[in-house]
Each structure stands twice: as C-alpha cells, then as structure tokens.
Amino acid sequence: MTLLIRDAISSDTPTILRFIRALAEYEKLSHMVVADEATLKQSLFGDNAKAHALIAEWDGVPVGFAVYFYNFSTFIGKPGIYIEDVFVDPAMRGKGIGKAFFAHIASRAKAEGCERVEWAVLDWNQPAIDFYKSIGAELLDDWIVNRLSGAALEKMGEKRRAA
Amino acid sequence: MTLLIRDAISSDTPTILRFIRALAEYEKLSHMVVADEATLKQSLFGDNAKAHALIAEWDGVPVGFAVYFYNFSTFIGKPGIYIEDVFVDPAMRGKGIGKAFFAHIASRAKAEGCERVEWAVLDWNQPAIDFYKSIGAELLDDWIVNRLSGAALEKMGEKRRAA
C-alpha cells in the first residue's frame, strides 16, 4: 500500500470535479456546485491560476484532493496558505490520508516562508473539529465570514465612484 | 472635498504600515503586528506579490487603506476576492469612505469575473456587522476558521512523507 500526495495536473480535472461533487454531498451543499470542467481547468491550470490542487493516490488510484490558495496577513506582512478543500473518498478514510494532505501543505508553507495555514470547518462537523484540534489548530471562533454575491454584489459594484 | 480610491504603489508602504498599526489597535490586537516596511513592501509590491492594496485619498491626503487577495470557490470553480482589511482613519469616518472601498472592490470583482467578495468581522463589532448587513452581505456564521501556526505548523510540516 503506497500513499502519494502530488500536485494535480490538467488531466486530473474530471477527477477533481468528481471529488468536489462528493464533498458537496457530504457537506449537504450539492445545490451550490456550479463548477464545470472547462471553468475548473482554467482556474486551476490556466494562465494566471490563483488556486492550486493536490491529488492523493493510493497504489496509483486517486482517492482524494485538496485545493489551496495564498492568503495574506497584514499583521505579519506575509502570505499564508488557505486550504479551501480537503476531501478523501469515504471508503478510504481512517488511513491517514487527510492528515497527509495537511502535513504536505504545512511543509510547503514552511518551505515558502508562510507562517500560517488556515481553513474553515462547518460548526456541526465535530469529527473534523476534533481532528484539527489534535494537530494543534487554533479555532478562531470570534470571527464571522461575510459574503457579498449575486444581486447584492452587482448593486455594490454599481456604487463605485468614477476615479 | 474629493474622495479618490486608487491602487497603492510601493512608496505608500510607510502609510499602509501606519494604518495597519492603527487598525490593530482598534481590534485590540496590537500585540500581533510584526510586519515591517521591508516585508510589507516585498509582499505587496515585489515579484510574485499575492496581495494587493488600495489607498483612499481625501483631498489628496491618505485617510485609509484596504488589502485584498484572490480566494477560490471549488463549488463555483472560479476565484473570488477576499478583503483582508479595510481601515479608515477614525477622524474621517461617517463620510462613506469605507463604503467606497467595498464598492470599488465589488466593481473590480465583477470586472474580473469573480462572483463573490468575502471578508471576516469580529463577532463583537456590531456597527460593522450592521453595515455589512445593510449592503446585502450574508453572514456565514456556521463556519469556523482554523489556524495552524508556530510550533504546531512546524511539527505538522515535519510529518510530510517522502514523495
């Protein structure tokens, strides 16, 4: 049994999309998945790609993925890594694959001079929260994320003053 | 009275650092500011800069700043904009400068094909929360951000398997 975490390549796009859909189902958010192969390929592997994907292979078979991008701390003055998603095929859980993703990304962060790795968890996902605490993560539960999208984003953009 | 929101340039670095320190004081987080001019200049204006700054000028005088970077939604398959900080000089509040930053960034997001603008707020900052709700933001209060840093990040990075 061999586990390999590697950078994703363009031909992994259909696999990544399949994992994204499986992740959304687990999070009870399937209705929010609108990504398609062309969009995803452009965003992860096109010119000016701002997000990066990793694939976990177990004996050569993809069994999970992670997507991350670089965030920034003004207080530190440096970028950090933000993990948007980590997903492991439910049939392959309990083998340390999720932990291997976090270790891989933590190692990359240190190599690139990033002093933080961050990610979000749904507040009802206690098994995940317990795991994150076990690896030493601090839960920033006094911060709330705000999102502007759809008509509200459109309306706000129209208020921009001429410069 | 003229308000201008513009992209920051390298020579704005001392001004941005001054604003970062003032923001930290307001958030009761001054002890967390370790950024210095050299680090900040490299991160915002150097090669491979991953974060971007805006300056608000009132009659030609800098009165606030914002810093943002690109995040990513796997469900949408596209990047979005994440606003790390918005700060307006306390003496200049109530003039619509904060709102002008959000409008500027919302307009940029739409122009660049981003379907979301996101940011975080401290849960005790009710005036900010009220403002964000007034512009149509959705509060994602079922998500908790996790942070791995310092010794815990170091330790996790050392667990990376040879690939």
Side-chain angles (χ1 to χ4, degrees):
Chain A
M1 308 285 190
T2 310
L3 174 65
L4 171 72
I5 307 282
R6 61 165 174 83
D7 288 322
I9 55 174
S10 179
S11 59
D12 291 314
T13 307
T15 301
I16 294 171
L17 188 55
R18 177 166 59 84
F19 286 145
I20 289 172
R21 289 181 175 142
L23 170 63
E25 194 171 333
Y26 177 72
E27 289 181 335
K28 302 166 191 168
L29 295 172
S30 290
H31 57 287
M32 292 182 67
V33 178
V34 297
D36 57 34
E37 268 189 47
T39 308
L40 200 60
K41 188 173 283 194
Q42 175 62 31
S43 296
L44 294 175
F45 307 106
D47 292 342
N48 200 22
K50 295 179 172 73
H52 312 277
L54 299 170
I55 296 284
E57 285 185 359
W58 188 270
D59 288 340
V61 179
V63 294
F65 85 111
V67 168
Y68 68 91
F69 54 82
Y70 293 89
N71 65 5
F72 184 74
S73 163
T74 39
F75 290 179
I76 298 176
K78 290 183 186 175
I81 288 183
Y82 187 93
I83 307 174
E84 177 64 20
D85 281 321
V86 169
F87 176 77
V88 175
D89 184 335
M92 298 298 289
R93 293 193 185 157
K95 299 175 190 295
I97 302 173
K99 199 166 188 171
F101 272 126
F102 281 86
H104 193 95
I105 293 168
S107 168
R108 181 160 295 182
K110 292 301 293 180
E112 297 183 354
C114 299
E115 295 184 16
R116 287 178 177 172
V117 173
E118 295 171 327
W119 63 92
V121 65
L122 281 161
D123 58 7
W124 52 258
N125 193 351
Q126 199 59 46
I129 291 170
D130 292 344
F131 167 60
Y132 299 148
K133 284 184 175 166
S134 79
I135 63 171
E138 176 192 2
L139 269 68
L140 309 182
D141 53 10
D142 51 348
W143 288 94
I144 304 169
V145 172
N146 296 255
R147 175 179 294 165
L148 200 58
S149 61
L153 178 62
E154 192 87 39
K155 192 173 159 195
M156 199 64 197
E158 286 164 4
K159 290 190 197 294
R160 179 178 177 171
R161 304 179 185 207
Chain B
M1 309 286 188
T2 309
L3 173 64
L4 170 71
I5 307 282
R6 62 166 174 82
D7 287 322
I9 56 174
S10 178
S11 60
D12 291 314
T13 307
T15 302
I16 294 170
L17 188 55
R18 178 166 58 83
F19 286 146
I20 289 171
R21 289 180 175 143
L23 171 63
E25 195 171 330
Y26 178 73
E27 289 181 335
K28 302 166 189 167
L29 296 172
S30 290
H31 57 286
M32 293 182 66
V33 177
V34 297
D36 57 31
E37 268 189 48
T39 309
L40 200 60
K41 188 175 281 192
Q42 175 62 31
S43 296
L44 294 175
F45 307 107
D47 292 342
N48 200 21
K50 294 179 172 75
H52 311 278
L54 299 171
I55 295 284
E57 284 185 359
W58 187 270
D59 288 340
V61 178
V63 294
F65 85 110
V67 169
Y68 69 90
F69 54 81
Y70 293 89
N71 64 6
F72 184 74
S73 162
T74 39
F75 290 0
I76 297 176
K78 291 183 187 175
I81 289 183
Y82 187 93
I83 307 174
E84 177 64 18
D85 281 322
V86 169
F87 176 77
V88 175
D89 184 337
M92 298 299 289
R93 294 192 186 159
K95 298 175 190 296
I97 302 173
K99 198 166 189 169
F101 272 127
F102 281 87
H104 193 94
I105 293 168
S107 167
R108 181 160 294 182
K110 292 300 295 180
E112 296 182 356
C114 298
E115 296 184 15
R116 287 178 177 172
V117 173
E118 294 170 327
W119 63 91
V121 65
L122 281 161
D123 59 7
W124 52 259
N125 194 350
Q126 199 59 47
I129 291 171
D130 292 344
F131 166 61
Y132 299 148
K133 284 184 175 166
S134 79
I135 63 171
E138 175 192 2
L139 269 67
L140 308 183
D141 53 10
D142 51 348
W143 287 94
I144 304 170
V145 171
N146 296 255
R147 176 179 294 165
L148 200 59
S149 61
L153 178 62
E154 193 86 38
K155 192 173 159 196
M156 200 64 198
E158 285 164 5
K159 290 189 197 294
R160 179 179 177 171
R161 304 181 185 206

